[in-house]
Each structure stands twice: as structure tokens, then as C-alpha cells.
């Protein structure tokens, strides 16, 4: 299954090399598309170095910090115009572990949407301060409530706004881009 990981970045220079190394050694041969919001620390230039030497790495340079939701929209728009069968979204700060990508792709053979979560058995928030844990948990409670109010046909996922996701091309193109309404982090709660 031809897959791509979309990774938004802003000032992620210390993380970009280790993240790309971790993703590119995975057995699935995933591609990576970095969407950089004009990082002043040189993240975009470092990704350009990767693009020159690794054909599975791509980059979208945006002129300034434009937000996480619009970064994912830009990345998904690009990859849906190409021949990828699976799209995975992942943060650059290692709060989403690259070693879970093969499991997401394995599950994707049976499901159109696969969500990884720190709020299921085996998940966690190690190294997070109280503020980040409260914000994450609160956002999930809010999103779960919104999902219940919008769809009574299925229970909401355990993690509505956090964790890496894999979405089938057929599912993505069914709603893309006309159903996207994005602000703050809400986009990650597809």
C-alpha cells in the first residue's frame, strides 16, 4: 500500500532529522511530506537537504505560521492529487510515535479510518506537564461531545483530537475538500 505521512512543522529543527530517519527505515517504505510554516530556526532548509537526497521526502514551504489545520489541508490536498492509497498525519515532536505506523497500515487493510490514541490501553502521555495533559484531555472530551451530537449512528472514537491517523483514499476523497471547516486543532478531529 503506497503511503505518505504528512508532518506539519514550525521550529522543529531538533526533531526533523530523527523523525525522518525513524519514518524512512520503517518496513512499509512510507513517503513523508513535511509542511513547513516558514520556521525561523531553519527546519524548512533542513528538509530541503532531505529532499535533495531522498526521493521519498517532499516539502511544502509556506511563508509564515498559518496554523496546524491549514497545514494539514495543504498537505492532504497535495497527496490526494498523487497516487497514495493511505495518508497518515503525525506531529513532528514525537508525541506520535513513528514505530506505530506499520500497525496503523496493517489495520488499514480492514478499515477505512484508523486512529492511534494516547487514551487507549498501551497509550500514554509520558513527559507531558499538567497543562498539556489537561488541554489534551479537555479537547478530547469536547470533541467526543460534538461527535455524539453530530452522529448518532456510531460511538465517538476514544481519541477525537490526538494521535496519528491513517485514512483511506476512498474515504478522504469522499469529503475532500468541500466538507473541511478548520480552526485551531479541530481539523485533527476528523
Amino acid at each position: 500500500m503506497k503511503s505518505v505521512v504528512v508532518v506539519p512543522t514550525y521550529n522543529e529543527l531538533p526533531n526533523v532529522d530523527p523523525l525522518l530517519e525513524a519514518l524512512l527505515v520503517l518496513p512499509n517504505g512510507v513517503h513523508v511530506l513535511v509542511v513547513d510554516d516558514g520556521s525561523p530556526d531553519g527546519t524548512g532548509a533542513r528538509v530541503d537537504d532531505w529532499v535533495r537526497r531522498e526521493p521519498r521526502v517532499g516539502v511544502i514551504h509556506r511563508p509564515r505560521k498559518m496554523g496546524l489545520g491549514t497545514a494539514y489541508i495543504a498537505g492532504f490536498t497535495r497527496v490526494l492529487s498523487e497516487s497514495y492509497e493511505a495518508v497518515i498525519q503525525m506531529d513532528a515532536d514525537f508525541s506520535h510515535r513513528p514505530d506505530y505506523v506499520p500497525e496503523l497500515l496493517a489495520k488499514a487493510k480492514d478499515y477505512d479510518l484508523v486512529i492511534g490514541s494516547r487514551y487507549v490501553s498501551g497509550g500514554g502521555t509520558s513527559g507531558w506537564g499538567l497543562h498539556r495533559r489537561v488541554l489534551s484531555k479537555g479537547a478530547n472530551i469536547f470533541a467526543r461531545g460534538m461527535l455524539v451530537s453530530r452522529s448518532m449512528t456510531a460511538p465517538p472514537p476514544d481519541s477525537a483530537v490526538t494521535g496519528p491517523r491513517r485514512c483511506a483514499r476512498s474515504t478522504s476523497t469522499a469529503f475532500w475538500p468541500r466538507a473541511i471547516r478548520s480552526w485551531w486543532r479541530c481539523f485533527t478531529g476528523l
Side-chain angles (χ1 to χ4, degrees):
M1 172 181 306
K2 187 174 178 189
S3 310
V4 62
V5 179
V6 176
V7 183
T9 59
Y10 184 76
N11 284 345
E12 294 287 354
L13 187 59
N15 295 330
V16 75
D17 285 337
L19 180 66
L20 291 172
E21 290 165 3
L23 289 169
L24 293 171
V25 300
L26 294 174
N28 306 82
V30 298
H31 292 217
V32 182
L33 176 63
V34 175
V35 182
D36 185 67
D37 273 4
S39 296
D41 71 348
T43 300
R46 173 64 94 193
V47 176
D48 286 338
D49 293 340
W50 277 91
V51 169
R52 283 190 281 279
R53 69 178 189 263
E54 173 54 63
R56 292 184 294 147
V57 176
V59 64
I60 295 174
H61 292 283
R62 300 189 329 157
R64 65 188 180 290
K65 190 170 185 178
M66 299 169 70
L68 182 66
T70 62
Y72 277 124
I73 290 171
F76 286 12
T77 298
R78 163 90 55 92
V79 301
L80 287 173
S81 71
E82 299 175 12
S83 61
Y84 295 104
E85 298 170 83
V87 180
I88 298 170
Q89 68 179 66
M90 181 172 285
D91 289 347
D93 66 358
F94 283 91
S95 62
H96 304 152
R97 292 179 35 192
D99 53 321
Y100 286 131
V101 169
E103 186 177 350
L104 284 169
L105 292 172
K107 298 277 186 192
K109 292 176 183 166
D110 298 319
Y111 301 97
D112 287 337
L113 178 64
V114 180
I115 300 174
S117 175
R118 57 185 55 99
Y119 298 113
V120 296
S121 178
T125 56
S126 101
W128 280 21
L130 178 62
H131 179 263
R132 188 167 181 189
R133 287 194 316 269
V134 168
L135 181 63
S136 176
K137 194 66 168 174
N140 271 284
I141 291 168
F142 173 76
R144 285 175 59 90
M146 294 304 290
L147 287 171
V148 167
S149 70
R150 297 295 300 256
S151 172
M152 299 309 283
T153 60
D158 289 320
S159 179
V161 298
T162 60
R165 290 167 178 69
R166 178 274 176 188
C167 190
R169 180 177 187 80
S170 59
T171 303
S172 301
T173 55
F175 68 80
W176 197 264
R178 66 189 175 283
I180 300 299
R181 301 291 182 270
S182 175
W183 54 272
W184 188 53
R185 287 189 61 95
C186 69
F187 178 75
T188 62
L190 283 177

